[in-house]
Amino acid sequence: MPENENNRLKRGQAKLQEVDAEAATNVMLGLTDVAPDIATYIEEFAFGDIYSRSGLDLKQREMITVTSLLTQGDTAAQLAVHINGCLNVGLTKQEVVESFIQCLPYVGFPKVLNAVAVAKRVFASRK
Amino acid sequence: MPENENNRLKRGQAKLQEVDAEAATNVMLGLTDVAPDIATYIEEFAFGDIYSRSGLDLKQREMITVTSLLTQGDTAAQLAVHINGCLNVGLTKQEVVESFIQCLPYVGFPKVLNAVAVAKRVFASRK
Amino acid sequence: MPENENNRLKRGQAKLQEVDAEAATNVMLGLTDVAPDIATYIEEFAFGDIYSRSGLDLKQREMITVTSLLTQGDTAAQLAVHINGCLNVGLTKQEVVESFIQCLPYVGFPKVLNAVAVAKRVFASRK
Amino acid sequence: MPENENNRLKRGQAKLQEVDAEAATNVMLGLTDVAPDIATYIEEFAFGDIYSRSGLDLKQREMITVTSLLTQGDTAAQLAVHINGCLNVGLTKQEVVESFIQCLPYVGFPKVLNAVAVAKRVFASRK
Amino acid sequence: MPENENNRLKRGQAKLQEVDAEAATNVMLGLTDVAPDIATYIEEFAFGDIYSRSGLDLKQREMITVTSLLTQGDTAAQLAVHINGCLNVGLTKQEVVESFIQCLPYVGFPKVLNAVAVAKRVFASRK
Amino acid sequence: MPENENNRLKRGQAKLQEVDAEAATNVMLGLTDVAPDIATYIEEFAFGDIYSRSGLDLKQREMITVTSLLTQGDTAAQLAVHINGCLNVGLTKQEVVESFIQCLPYVGFPKVLNAVAVAKRVFASRK
């Protein structure tokens, strides 16, 4: 059944707040002047379509997200958002770090060390 | 307490069989003539040290592994091993595909399509 | 003004056919059994949202797409689709090859050679 | 007909100034003490050979360049030079941002967001 | 002192033969119909300029080259050429495999395994 | 013959100091609070197993390491450690820069420029 576009947007905005809270608002605001459509696509597609799917819970989805960001490299800003996201949805700090350690045989030490450095800053900021 | 090296090796070999079964044996055999030490490091470090850790269960570890492989690209051989590994440790085919879909906003469609193509072949081979 | 979802899908399906023709149908069919939702997202988001935008014409969009695929690596299947796409929307074979040559100072020779190899096969198949 | 090396160098230096102006001078100066030959190769090969080719105009070449830089990741310094380059050769700010948006289905949101962040700084600096 | 272009080309062709022998000829031939200029740039820039430099010997240069190819991924064709190149310039099979093992802490197992698989085929072809 | 784990650790700690000296201590300290096991794995696996191998000397190993780091991208922190490591084990500044230049045909200019920028800072810090 065809869906009204406003539903995707509203569902996405709600899901984005549920996962990424304050950090999400900052990313969206930073796009307002230069590329507001990208903010809309994040809300509609990334969160309205993908994050809202059933089949995996939010802890699994955020664990997958930080793993993909770690593996890509050059994602410090997004890792900060989503490490916070991991903690927001109920993963523990130990589970976040353990996910990074699991990547060691698959990406080597540099990318894991870079992600751990971001995690340190996020953990410190949440005290 | 310092550990005997043979324990790491034995623990790793057992864990490798638990996760990757037959596919693991093939990878190890392929290394025998040209780089047997790499096979030892896989058993001792990847499985004896990392996969044997507590903190995350094997379903989570394999989900992280296939996510990292998908994101790297050019990992069809290893994706085949670890998609089988996902199913061996109790994830469903739907959970594997859902993990790939979760990557869409973070890596785009090409890498996800490549991983899905490998999953298709693995699923067909297990019927 | 909120849009009916079926419009995005229909617009995307039409745009996908306009750019990628037969090759697109094959990609979609390959997803039917294992991940039909990904096919829907390609039609709705990649083509219904992104490719349907104004601001750049289809020649520019396909030139950008093959550049990104070349740079990522491990995208032979998608490069085949989109090199065909380049020619479908009116770029010449020389313009496609020239786009790859432009990448040389930015990615080096291996990735450019890999893309040229795919172009050779595509050009031969269109005679 | 064999060409005199000084022609490649002079042609490259002129083309580099045409595209990248002041930003180019800074990159070259930064290399003087540690790796002056790399500066020469940029002038001779990247600009004397590649950018001076016919077949694509400078707008197309810069569009391809920023696409490849965005897709690689960890290229903030070079993106700054070449987003300026895009504007110097006559692309508009909207066309630059639209090129980044076109990459979304192929690389996902993180790399596009990183490039947009650089574009924001470049646009602000040109006011 | 400005150099005659034909010198760069001739020097590069000679150096390419010295390092990559028969494999090089095949790469060049494959480019003749679709992108002959890329073959010229490989001969002039990659081999006439870079490989002909002093400061490192050919063993070091080929060791660096296969390391970079391994790390990039999706470079099986080029790895085959340059693993042969390593052996052509006097590195042993053990030194080639040892270079791959050295990469393990920096890239993880998948990329190293992919390179070892290519080395196996090259070693077998040279018996 | 099975080895006592404490031997791997001690051997690795000694090798790490030999190659990376002070920089290594800083990396290890940074891990103490958040992920001390990663520090142990670096000492045991990266240095106790891999760097302690015969077959290549430390100059070759560090040359391979900085090449892999350059090629990966987003490794400025690790490049700083290992460019220092190159100099610590007896490579000259010219040999380090020459290794980066050798990568130009294989990765293009951006990654090489990024590595050269790190080298500049390291060289200045060692005066």
Side-chain angles (χ1 to χ4, degrees), chain E residues 71-104:
Chain E
T71 302
Q72 284 192 55
D74 193 35
T75 53
Q78 297 83 21
L79 266 171
V81 171
H82 287 282
I83 291 170
N84 269 297
C86 283
L87 302 176
N88 292 341
V89 300
L91 287 168
T92 65
K93 290 186 277 193
Q94 293 78 8
E95 286 172 321
V96 171
V97 174
E98 194 62 38
S99 300
F100 296 169
I101 291 174
Q102 176 58 32
C103 291
L104 281 175

Side-chain angles (χ1 to χ4, degrees), chain B residues 73-87:
Chain B
D74 193 35
T75 52
Q78 298 83 21
L79 267 171
V81 171
H82 286 283
I83 291 169
N84 269 297
C86 282
L87 302 175

Side-chain angles (χ1 to χ4, degrees), chain A residues 72-90:
Chain A
Q72 283 193 57
D74 193 36
T75 51
Q78 298 83 20
L79 267 170
V81 171
H82 287 282
I83 291 170
N84 269 297
C86 283
L87 302 175
N88 292 342
V89 300

Side-chain angles (χ1 to χ4, degrees), chain B residues 64-109:
Chain B
I64 287 165
T65 293
V66 293
T67 296
S68 186
L69 293 173
L70 175 159
T71 302
Q72 284 193 53
D74 193 35
T75 52
Q78 298 83 21
L79 267 171
V81 171
H82 286 283
I83 291 169
N84 269 297
C86 282
L87 302 175
N88 291 342
V89 299
L91 288 168
T92 65
K93 289 186 278 194
Q94 294 79 9
E95 286 174 320
V96 170
V97 174
E98 194 63 39
S99 300
F100 296 169
I101 290 173
Q102 175 60 31
C103 292
L104 281 175
Y106 298 101
V107 300
F109 288 95

